[in-house]
Amino acid sequence: MADREILPSTVSPRHYTLAIYDLNFTEFTYKGSVKIDLDVVGPAPISQIHLNARELTISEAAISLELSKTSAEIKVKEISVDEKAEVVALALSEPLPVEATRVSLTIAFAGMLNNKMAGFYRSKYTDANGQEAYMYSTQFEATDARRAFPCFDEPALKATFDFSITVPEEWTALSNLPEISSKPPEDGKKKGVAGTKLKTVTFATTPIMSTYLLAWACGDFEYVEAFTDRVYNGKKVPVRVYTTKGIVKQGEFALQNAYKIVDYFSEIFDIDYVLPKVDLLAVHEFSHGAMENWGLITYRTTALLFDPETSDSKYKNRVAYVVAHELAHQWFGNLVTMEWWSELWLNEGFATWVGWLAIDYLYPDWDVFAVFVSESLQGALNLDSLRQSHAIEVPVKSALDIDQIFDAISYLKGASSIRMISSHIGVKTFLKGVSNYLRQHAYGNATTKDLWDAVGQESGVDVNEIMNDWITKIGFPVVTVIESPAGVTLRQDRFLSSGDATIEENRTSWWIPLGIYTDGGSASAYSGVSSFSSRETILAGLGPDDFYKLNRNQTGVYRVNYPPERLAKLGLAKDMLSITDKVGLIADASAMALAGLGSTTGLLGLLDGLKGEESYVVWSEIVARLSSLRSAMFEQPEEVKSGLAAFTRSLVSPAVKKLGWEFKDREDYLTVQLRSLLIGSAGTAGDQEVIAEARAQFAKYIAGDKTAIHPNLRRAVFSIVLAQEEGSDQEAAVAYEAVLKEVLQPTSVDGKEIALVALGKSKRPELIKRTLSLILSGEVAVQDLHTPAYALAANGTARWELWRYIKSNWTEIYALMSGNMVILDRFVRLSISQFSSQEAYDDIKAFFADKDTHGYERSVGQALDVVSSFARWVERDAAAVSQWLKERGY
């Protein structure tokens, strides 16, 4: 097909028999053989077979086949490799006979145990004895199975797999299915390169599945185990969390969630989990958060491990959710797979939404869908408000294009769209349609239309019709509210953060569910209007004096632009609003200010009226929007910056005093998060009482009292202390080195990540340079380099220094990270998207103009959009903000 780079369809795989052996842990190499049983698709004559391979050496290949009365072999006369296309062409000595009933391709190959977190790779860690060690695992999504073995590496080319691997005798080997045998290698080679005794572990045959879902791992592992409550095929399913030795107890929290979630999904999908086991493996070096390999799910350590004694409780939410998200894929993605990567959202959008549904079921007191609105929905809308965004369903041609759409559109806008339609037709009805979809397409591939057809059939709603624009068109609408004595007129237009959508960009009219409620309560309709898909509609009988709000609980994927008077009224009526609606009101007002469709002073007035708020989720939105404004104004006169800091203190400092620093026994999860948030915000805004307490706790901590700082406050205290400009350079250096030690020798699973964020907060030139040096020094794992980069970018004092460092060291940075474009893409995006001036825009654009940006070009374009919008915002509103602050004594 012209719109995608795929293999010729002359043959297709039916079954793989794959063996991995001769692992060399000194040279980091391995060998393998794969026998692929093929179906001949045609047309004849077939004189070449094409399959995918990358960074592999193929030493030999041969074809064996069965005819009606005999068998035969065909030699491969030439092996040619197209490195750019990642395709191997095997030229046959003679064409495949059309009458062949069975065709098998056998290939011998060799590969590298790379350190790029892709394919079959190595992860370095410090073992329980303090020694450097390695574990080995795979990461194949999207197109890196071809890095580990030659294969037909496309999601629609499904097959079954038999897998075996030869490893040191004392190690554990894992794969998708359970082990069926472990014995000495059949080739008689009983010892490895270093004289280690070996074993060959063979695993049961997988179901039919895509190559990207195959997985294996080996190392010095241990596990904790639980069993599902439900019975599957006469047995309870064993669920295990594997780690390298010494840290397995930190897998208990994930385990207690995992077995319950397997049962929960089996019930709500009305389809039993199909494999005989579930393994979850913590991997020390990991490019993503986790990977849903069928039956062997792999995770970044901070997404799977949690220590109740030393971990920040914020990570409980992350671990529980990521476990749920990946388990959702065992049905949605693994059992039924998208037909091509253009419909990646079918996997990721659904798993995101239903993952949160599972956590809401397990932890109703966490109010996860309010958090979803504050984080996930806003993340989706923020990205989708850029010109360089993309539709949920987007054409994908090459492997590098695929990697770039693992973003907030595929995950978060996809999930938000599902939340919108499921709220409209009812969650139970929606899930029944999903169950029908899964049954109809089990072990196969499907499209967006297939999902909507199944849901539409169950609900009686033409889901394809109302959701088509949401999936296939870029952007989302802003609903502008126009009040008059005759009623309330609603108009929809495409929303851009730049506020300047052209006529051509504004042609889509989306289906918009109103979700209106008044002082009489919520209603699906008003004056007979429950939704609209025209450019305008009117709500007759609703006047300027009535109370009303659109988009109840923010289930619709759109923003609302109220008249200033209405926004003020809603702010005064905050006690009538739900937590979710308050979040939406703040977020929409902030977005309108950024786009020039509302005023920043109106936003500040709205925030000023929320001083007495008690909800963590609402405070989180307040703090995020204030932080965004303060960041945008980082090059404004000191009086503006100090005024915004003072205004921030006026909001958060009284709340800190009310809540205090002490954590109480059995305190609810959201209160714990609120305390951490407010203390961090107050300290970074210059609250001297908070700073003094943070310094006192930090002094005790570095003196040896590790209980002086509560685990939930390490992020806040570290960041507050390192951000201070008062005190001597020597004192600052001592504090810096103490936090750096937490990076290099972490005392908790999340300690490194927390400390890396804090290091980027320093405003002292020498310490900024020291943090910058971590990018290329080798002291920090490549998977984590985006963390200090983002912290430096968020630090107005360090922002330009980071950018100058990147420009000066681009060749080395590109070489370090481009082996896995996910890493480079994330690093670039987080490093350059905080600027807010035309000067920065021009400089960034000029720098990348002559660079090969394939693989991260989308993120560069999106970052430039952000910088441009922020520059306009500052130019337009800085003077008004300054005046507002002065008038109120800030």
Side-chain angles (χ1 to χ4, degrees):
M1 296 183 183
D3 64 339
R4 60 184 73 167
E5 294 176 0
I6 59 175
L7 296 166
S9 57
T10 53
V11 296
S12 64
R14 185 174 63 255
H15 178 75
Y16 293 79
T17 303
L18 174 62
I20 299 295
Y21 50 86
D22 284 1
L23 277 65
N24 185 318
F25 304 126
T26 304
E27 302 295 329
F28 297 118
T29 60
Y30 67 95
K31 294 179 181 177
S33 66
V34 61
K35 178 185 176 185
I36 310 173
D37 297 334
L38 301 171
D39 289 326
V40 179
V41 180
I46 299 173
S47 299
Q48 279 194 333
I49 293 177
H50 297 81
L51 67 166
N52 298 112
R54 179 181 178 185
E55 298 172 3
L56 297 174
T57 301
I58 296 176
S59 54
E60 57 181 303
I63 298 285
S64 61
L65 48 88
E66 293 184 12
L67 304 172
S68 58
K69 295 182 179 180
T70 184
S71 60
E73 288 192 3
I74 296 178
K75 292 181 179 180
V76 173
K77 65 181 182 180
E78 183 181 1
I79 301 172
S80 57
V81 179
D82 183 336
E83 292 186 0
K84 185 177 180 181
E86 301 174 359
V87 172
V88 174
L90 306 177
L92 308 183
S93 58
E94 59 183 284
L96 288 177
V98 293
E99 67 272 21
T101 56
R102 285 183 177 275
V103 177
S104 296
L105 167 63
T106 302
I107 300 174
F109 62 94
M112 295 291 296
L113 294 165
N114 70 70
N115 61 352
K116 300 173 184 176
M117 293 170 281
F120 186 20
Y121 72 95
R122 66 186 189 267
S123 296
K124 184 164 64 175
Y125 68 99
T126 302
D127 67 17
N129 299 316
Q131 301 299 308
E132 182 180 285
Y134 288 94
M135 62 173 288
Y136 301 85
S137 59
T138 58
Q139 169 60 40
F140 291 164
E141 191 179 31
T143 59
D144 285 315
R146 65 190 67 177
R147 274 187 173 181
F149 67 104
C151 57
F152 296 82
D153 201 12
E154 297 171 11
L157 297 179
K158 289 189 168 186
T160 53
F161 295 82
D162 281 326
F163 175 71
S164 66
I165 186 169
T166 301
V167 298
E169 192 174 62
E170 70 275 14
W171 277 17
T172 299
L174 303 170
S175 191
N176 304 80
L177 272 287
E179 171 187 315
I180 57 174
S181 72
S182 177
K183 56 189 178 182
E186 292 182 358
D187 61 5
K189 188 183 291 186
K190 297 182 180 180
K191 293 187 177 181
V193 174
T196 307
K197 287 186 177 180
L198 301 176
K199 63 181 178 183
T200 297
V201 183
T202 303
F203 298 88
T205 305
T206 72
I208 186 170
M209 65 185 194
S210 304
T211 47
Y212 80 88
L213 295 171
L214 182 66
W216 64 84
C218 57
D220 195 15
F221 302 152
E222 58 184 341
Y223 66 87
V224 288
E225 182 179 47
F227 291 84
T228 58
D229 291 327
R230 295 175 87 249
V231 173
Y232 301 82
N233 295 318
K235 296 180 180 179
K236 294 187 174 185
V237 173
V239 181
R240 293 177 176 179
V241 174
Y242 281 88
T243 70
T244 52
K245 286 184 177 176
I247 56 174
V248 74
K249 288 185 178 180
Q250 296 179 36
E252 286 283 359
F253 178 71
L255 180 68
Q256 294 308 311
N257 285 276
Y259 78 87
K260 296 173 186 174
I261 292 168
V262 171
D263 285 345
Y264 175 72
F265 286 152
S266 295
E267 290 171 7
I268 67 169
F269 298 147
D270 195 25
I271 297 174
D272 282 354
Y273 178 74
V274 300
L275 298 189
K277 59 101 170 172
V278 183
D279 291 338
L280 295 76
L281 172 66
V283 180
H284 288 279
E285 295 189 35
F286 207 82
S287 61
H288 298 71
M291 175 60 210
E292 66 266 21
N293 318 297
W294 211 351
L296 174 57
I297 308 170
T298 47
Y299 296 80
R300 181 181 284 243
T301 54
T302 51
L304 185 65
L305 306 183
F306 180 83
D307 185 337
E309 299 297 321
T310 63
S311 293
D312 185 335
S313 65
K314 191 176 186 70
Y315 285 82
K316 286 182 76 172
N317 181 288
R318 181 183 185 188
V319 169
Y321 165 69
V322 178
V323 166
H325 179 107
E326 303 308 325
L327 286 170
H329 278 308
Q330 308 303 295
W331 287 263
F332 226 95
N334 299 7
L335 183 64
V336 179
T337 311
M338 77 263 143
E339 189 269 334
W340 179 245
W341 296 106
S342 57
E343 294 175 300
L344 174 69
W345 89 276
L346 275 176
N347 283 16
E348 301 301 349
F350 184 84
T352 300
W353 173 76
V354 83
W356 285 121
L357 194 69
I359 302 309
D360 190 47
Y361 168 76
L362 292 177
Y363 302 100
D365 57 318
W366 286 9
D367 202 4
V368 297
F369 278 108
V371 177
F372 178 93
V373 167
S374 178
E375 297 178 0
S376 300
L377 175 60
Q378 301 314 316
L381 296 180
N382 290 343
L383 177 53
D384 210 28
S385 68
L386 307 178
R387 278 195 168 85
Q388 295 293 320
S389 182
H390 60 86
I392 289 177
E393 191 172 297
V394 59
V396 173
K397 187 172 184 178
S398 70
L400 290 178
D401 295 332
I402 297 166
D403 285 340
Q404 293 186 81
I405 63 167
F406 282 80
D407 64 3
I409 301 300
S410 297
Y411 284 73
L412 306 183
K413 188 183 179 186
S416 299
S417 299
I418 287 174
R419 179 171 174 260
M420 177 169 64
I421 187 62
S422 65
S423 297
H424 180 68
I425 66 174
V427 172
K428 287 185 178 180
T429 300
F430 179 79
L431 287 172
K432 180 60 178 173
V434 167
S435 176
N436 295 340
Y437 162 85
L438 291 171
R439 291 180 187 280
Q440 290 165 12
H441 302 282
Y443 303 104
N445 298 82
T447 65
T448 299
K449 183 179 183 302
D450 294 326
L451 174 62
W452 292 154
D453 284 347
V455 173
Q457 187 173 4
E458 185 65 31
S459 65
V461 174
D462 189 346
V463 180
N464 264 306
E465 172 67 22
I466 64 177
M467 292 302 295
N468 182 65
D469 285 344
W470 287 105
I471 304 303
T472 62
K473 301 293 177 64
I474 188 174
F476 65 91
V478 54
V479 174
T480 300
V481 177
I482 305 162
E483 296 182 341
S484 71
V488 172
T489 299
L490 306 178
R491 174 184 171 85
Q492 65 159 300
D493 297 280
R494 181 179 171 191
F495 179 79
L496 286 175
S497 62
S498 54
D500 59 350
T502 65
I503 293 174
E504 187 61 34
E505 290 169 326
N506 192 29
R507 294 196 181 279
T508 304
S509 288
W510 287 269
W511 166 80
I512 299 176
L514 286 182
I516 190 168
Y517 71 105
T518 66
D519 52 7
S522 62
S524 60
Y526 192 90
S527 300
V529 181
S530 62
S531 63
F532 73 107
S533 53
S534 56
R535 184 62 64 186
E536 290 188 0
T537 192
I538 189 166
L539 304 178
L542 200 58
D545 296 329
D546 296 317
F547 170 85
Y548 66 90
K549 184 192 176 294
L550 302 179
N551 200 12
R552 181 170 177 80
N553 289 327
Q554 306 305 117
T555 56
V557 187
Y558 60 93
R559 295 203 183 280
V560 180
N561 186 17
Y562 294 102
E565 299 81 7
R566 174 60 52 185
L567 183 63
K569 287 178 181 178
L570 287 170
L572 293 172
K574 57 183 180 292
D575 292 341
M576 297 178 66
L577 303 178
S578 68
I579 288 172
T580 325
D581 284 316
K582 290 178 190 176
V583 168
L585 199 65
I586 296 165
D588 287 357
S590 179
M592 295 309 115
L594 172 61
L597 303 178
S599 72
T600 306
T601 54
L603 168 66
L604 292 172
L606 176 65
L607 299 182
D608 198 29
L610 294 171
K611 286 179 179 175
E613 182 56 51
E614 296 182 348
S615 163
Y616 160 73
V617 187
V618 177
W619 269 116
S620 180
E621 192 65 30
I622 292 170
V623 168
R625 299 301 172 172
L626 275 174
S627 296
S628 179
L629 176 59
R630 291 176 63 196
S631 178
M633 298 287 177
F634 82 108
E635 293 178 301
Q636 291 302 298
E638 186 58 38
E639 62 185 26
V640 176
K641 293 188 288 185
S642 61
L644 284 171
F647 175 61
T648 301
R649 293 195 301 274
S650 77
L651 295 180
V652 300
S653 293
V656 171
K657 288 182 179 179
K658 180 179 179 181
L659 204 56
W661 285 70
E662 295 299 319
F663 291 87
K664 302 171 181 64
D665 290 341
R666 299 192 177 184
E667 196 165 39
D668 69 89
Y669 174 80
L670 292 177
T671 299
V672 169
Q673 300 312 304
L674 178 60
R675 178 178 292 105
S676 304
L677 172 74
L678 292 176
I679 288 173
S681 180
T684 54
D687 184 314
Q688 292 304 311
E689 289 185 21
V690 170
I691 291 169
E693 179 61 25
R695 280 177 153 169
Q697 292 189 9
F698 186 81
K700 293 176 184 177
Y701 184 87
I702 64 174
D705 181 4
K706 297 305 180 185
T707 65
I709 303 175
H710 193 283
N712 294 324
L713 291 178
R714 277 177 303 153
R715 184 187 301 267
V717 170
F718 287 1
S719 295
I720 290 168
V721 169
L722 290 194
Q724 298 314 304
E725 296 179 87
E726 296 80 11
S728 70
D729 288 343
Q730 183 178 357
E731 289 173 329
V734 169
Y736 184 95
E737 291 301 322
V739 176
L740 179 60
K741 185 178 179 182
E742 293 286 329
V743 173
L744 304 178
Q745 301 171 23
T747 55
S748 65
V749 66
D750 53 9
K752 181 192 300 181
E753 192 168 285
I754 288 170
L756 282 171
V757 170
L759 292 180
K761 302 293 185 180
S762 179
K763 297 178 173 62
R764 297 173 187 257
E766 288 306 312
L767 298 182
I768 290 172
K769 289 179 182 177
R770 177 70 180 98
T771 304
L772 287 169
S773 74
L774 295 175
I775 294 172
L776 292 173
S777 69
E779 296 168 275
V780 177
V782 175
Q783 68 163 2
D784 297 318
L785 290 176
H786 67 280
T787 302
Y790 176 70
L792 288 165
N795 176 354
T797 308
R799 193 168 295 163
W800 277 103
E801 287 300 315
L802 171 65
W803 174 230
R804 284 189 280 267
Y805 180 88
I806 290 173
K807 290 191 294 182
S808 297
N809 296 277
W810 178 251
T811 301
E812 294 80 5
I813 289 170
Y814 187 87
L816 178 66
M817 301 184 191
S818 59
N820 187 327
M821 277 296 180
V822 171
I823 301 291
L824 181 65
D825 178 83
R826 182 169 57 211
F827 178 86
V828 169
R829 170 170 44 85
L830 294 177
S831 297
I832 65 176
S833 56
Q834 296 286 329
F835 288 102
S836 53
S837 68
Q838 188 63 40
E839 177 191 359
Y841 178 92
D842 293 340
D843 195 32
I844 294 167
K845 187 174 182 180
F847 177 76
F848 286 110
D850 64 349
K851 305 294 185 293
D852 178 6
T853 58
H854 192 201
Y856 63 99
E857 70 270 22
R858 194 183 292 273
S859 283
V860 171
Q862 290 167 352
L864 287 170
D865 276 357
V866 172
V867 173
S868 177
S869 294
F870 272 61
R872 293 186 188 189
W873 185 24
V874 171
E875 184 178 0
R876 184 178 58 244
D877 280 11
V881 168
S882 178
Q883 185 64 30
W884 189 92
L885 292 168
K886 285 179 183 177
E887 289 173 355
R888 288 156 181 80
Y890 295 116

Coordinates of all heavy atoms in Angstrom, one line a residue, residues 775-776 785 802-819 821 824 827-828 847-848 850-852 856:
I775 N 23.8 14.9 31.8 CA 23.2 14.4 30.5 C 24.1 13.5 29.7 O 23.7 12.5 29.1 CB 22.7 15.6 29.7 CG1 21.6 16.3 30.4 CG2 22.2 15.1 28.3 CD1 21.1 17.6 29.7
L776 N 25.4 13.9 29.7 CA 26.4 13.1 28.9 C 27.5 12.4 29.8 O 28.4 11.8 29.2 CB 27.1 14.0 27.9 CG 26.2 14.6 26.8 CD1 26.9 15.6 26.0 CD2 25.7 13.4 25.9
L785 N 17.1 10.5 31.5 CA 17.7 11.8 31.2 C 16.7 12.9 30.9 O 16.9 14.1 31.1 CB 18.6 11.7 30.0 CG 20.0 10.9 30.3 CD1 20.8 10.8 29.0 CD2 20.8 11.6 31.4
L802 N 20.0 25.4 29.5 CA 19.8 24.0 29.0 C 19.8 24.1 27.5 O 20.4 23.2 26.8 CB 18.4 23.5 29.5 CG 17.9 22.2 28.9 CD1 18.8 21.1 29.2 CD2 16.4 22.0 29.3
W803 N 19.1 25.0 26.9 CA 19.0 25.1 25.4 C 20.4 25.3 24.8 O 20.7 24.7 23.8 CB 18.0 26.2 25.0 CG 17.9 26.4 23.6 CD1 18.0 27.6 22.9 CD2 17.7 25.5 22.5 NE1 17.9 27.5 21.6 CE2 17.7 26.2 21.3 CE3 17.6 24.1 22.5 CZ2 17.5 25.5 20.1 CZ3 17.4 23.4 21.3 CH2 17.4 24.2 20.1
R804 N 21.2 26.2 25.4 CA 22.5 26.4 24.9 C 23.4 25.1 25.0 O 24.2 24.8 24.1 CB 23.2 27.6 25.6 CG 22.7 29.0 25.2 CD 23.5 30.1 25.8 NE 23.1 30.4 27.1 CZ 22.2 31.3 27.5 NH1 21.6 32.0 26.5 NH2 22.0 31.5 28.7
Y805 N 23.2 24.4 26.1 CA 23.9 23.1 26.3 C 23.5 22.1 25.2 O 24.4 21.5 24.6 CB 23.6 22.6 27.7 CG 24.3 21.3 27.9 CD1 25.6 21.3 28.5 CD2 23.7 20.0 27.7 CE1 26.3 20.0 28.8 CE2 24.4 18.8 27.9 CZ 25.7 18.9 28.5 OH 26.3 17.7 28.7
I806 N 22.2 22.0 24.9 CA 21.8 21.1 23.9 C 22.3 21.5 22.5 O 22.8 20.6 21.8 CB 20.2 21.1 23.9 CG1 19.7 20.4 25.1 CG2 19.7 20.4 22.6 CD1 18.2 20.5 25.3
K807 N 22.3 22.7 22.2 CA 22.9 23.2 20.9 C 24.4 22.9 20.8 O 24.8 22.4 19.8 CB 22.6 24.7 20.7 CG 21.2 25.0 20.5 CD 21.0 26.5 20.0 CE 21.4 27.4 21.1 NZ 21.2 28.8 20.6
S808 N 25.1 23.1 21.9 CA 26.5 22.9 21.8 C 26.9 21.4 21.8 O 28.0 21.1 21.3 CB 27.2 23.6 23.1 OG 27.0 25.0 23.1
N809 N 26.1 20.6 22.4 CA 26.4 19.2 22.5 C 25.5 18.3 21.7 O 25.3 17.1 22.0 CB 26.4 18.8 24.0 CG 27.4 19.5 24.8 OD1 28.6 19.1 24.9 ND2 27.0 20.6 25.4
W810 N 24.8 18.9 20.6 CA 23.8 18.1 19.9 C 24.3 16.8 19.3 O 23.7 15.8 19.3 CB 23.2 19.0 18.8 CG 22.2 18.2 18.0 CD1 22.2 17.8 16.8 CD2 20.9 17.8 18.5 NE1 21.1 17.1 16.4 CE2 20.3 17.1 17.5 CE3 20.2 17.9 19.7 CZ2 19.0 16.5 17.6 CZ3 19.0 17.3 19.9 CH2 18.4 16.6 18.8
T811 N 25.5 16.8 18.7 CA 26.0 15.6 18.1 C 26.1 14.5 19.1 O 25.7 13.4 18.8 CB 27.4 15.9 17.5 OG1 27.3 17.0 16.5 CG2 28.0 14.7 16.8
E812 N 26.6 14.8 20.3 CA 26.8 13.7 21.3 C 25.4 13.3 21.8 O 25.2 12.1 22.1 CB 27.6 14.2 22.4 CG 29.1 14.5 22.1 CD 29.3 15.8 21.4 OE1 28.3 16.6 21.3 OE2 30.4 16.1 21.0
I813 N 24.5 14.3 22.0 CA 23.2 13.9 22.5 C 22.4 13.1 21.5 O 21.8 12.0 21.9 CB 22.4 15.2 22.8 CG1 22.9 15.9 24.1 CG2 20.9 14.9 23.0 CD1 22.4 17.3 24.3
Y814 N 22.5 13.4 20.2 CA 21.8 12.6 19.2 C 22.4 11.2 19.2 O 21.6 10.2 19.1 CB 22.0 13.3 17.9 CG 21.2 12.7 16.7 CD1 19.9 13.0 16.5 CD2 21.8 11.7 15.9 CE1 19.1 12.4 15.5 CE2 21.0 11.1 15.0 CZ 19.7 11.4 14.7 OH 19.0 10.8 13.8
A815 N 23.7 11.1 19.2 CA 24.3 9.8 19.2 C 23.9 8.9 20.4 O 23.7 7.7 20.2 CB 25.9 9.9 19.1
L816 N 23.8 9.5 21.5 CA 23.4 8.8 22.7 C 22.0 8.3 22.7 O 21.7 7.2 23.2 CB 23.6 9.7 24.0 CG 23.3 9.2 25.3 CD1 24.2 8.0 25.7 CD2 23.3 10.3 26.4
M817 N 21.1 9.1 22.2 CA 19.7 8.8 22.3 C 19.0 8.3 21.1 O 17.9 7.7 21.2 CB 18.9 10.1 22.8 CG 19.4 10.6 24.2 SD 18.5 12.0 24.7 CE 19.5 12.6 26.1
S818 N 19.6 8.5 19.9 CA 18.8 8.2 18.7 C 18.7 6.7 18.4 O 18.0 6.3 17.5 CB 19.5 8.9 17.5 OG 20.8 8.5 17.3
G819 N 19.4 5.9 19.2 CA 19.3 4.4 19.0 C 17.9 4.0 19.4 O 17.4 2.9 18.9
M821 N 14.4 6.1 19.3 CA 13.9 7.5 19.0 C 12.8 7.9 20.0 O 12.5 9.1 20.2 CB 13.3 7.5 17.6 CG 14.3 7.8 16.5 SD 15.0 9.4 16.7 CE 16.2 9.4 15.3
L824 N 14.9 10.0 22.4 CA 15.3 11.3 21.9 C 14.1 12.3 21.8 O 14.1 13.4 22.1 CB 16.0 11.2 20.6 CG 16.5 12.5 19.9 CD1 17.5 13.1 20.7 CD2 17.0 12.2 18.5
F827 N 13.0 13.6 25.1 CA 14.0 14.5 25.6 C 13.9 15.9 25.0 O 13.9 17.0 25.6 CB 15.4 14.0 25.4 CG 16.5 14.9 25.9 CD1 17.0 14.9 27.2 CD2 17.1 15.8 25.0 CE1 18.0 15.7 27.6 CE2 18.2 16.6 25.4 CZ 18.6 16.6 26.7
V828 N 13.8 15.9 23.6 CA 13.7 17.2 22.9 C 12.4 17.9 23.3 O 12.4 19.1 23.6 CB 13.8 16.9 21.4 CG1 13.4 18.2 20.6 CG2 15.1 16.4 21.0
F847 N 17.7 26.3 14.6 CA 18.6 25.3 14.9 C 18.2 23.9 14.3 O 19.0 23.2 13.7 CB 18.6 25.1 16.5 CG 19.5 23.9 16.9 CD1 20.9 24.1 16.9 CD2 19.0 22.7 17.3 CE1 21.7 23.0 17.3 CE2 19.8 21.6 17.6 CZ 21.2 21.8 17.6
F848 N 16.9 23.6 14.3 CA 16.5 22.3 13.7 C 16.2 22.4 12.2 O 16.0 21.3 11.6 CB 15.2 21.9 14.5 CG 15.4 21.4 15.8 CD1 15.0 22.1 17.0 CD2 16.1 20.2 16.1 CE1 15.2 21.6 18.2 CE2 16.4 19.7 17.3 CZ 15.9 20.4 18.4
D850 N 18.2 22.6 9.7 CA 19.1 21.8 8.9 C 19.4 20.4 9.5 O 20.3 19.7 9.1 CB 20.4 22.5 8.6 CG 21.2 22.8 9.9 OD1 20.6 22.6 11.0 OD2 22.3 23.3 9.8
K851 N 18.6 20.0 10.5 CA 18.8 18.7 11.2 C 17.9 17.7 10.6 O 16.8 18.0 10.1 CB 18.5 18.8 12.7 CG 19.3 19.9 13.4 CD 20.8 19.6 13.4 CE 21.6 20.6 14.2 NZ 21.6 22.0 13.6
D852 N 18.3 16.4 10.6 CA 17.4 15.3 10.2 C 16.5 15.0 11.4 O 17.0 14.4 12.4 CB 18.3 14.1 9.8 CG 17.4 12.9 9.5 OD1 16.1 13.1 9.4 OD2 17.9 11.8 9.3
Y856 N 11.4 12.6 15.3 CA 11.0 13.5 16.4 C 10.5 14.9 15.8 O 10.3 15.8 16.5 CB 12.1 13.8 17.4 CG 13.4 14.4 16.8 CD1 13.6 15.8 17.0 CD2 14.3 13.7 16.1 CE1 14.7 16.4 16.5 CE2 15.5 14.3 15.6 CZ 15.7 15.7 15.8 OH 16.8 16.3 15.3

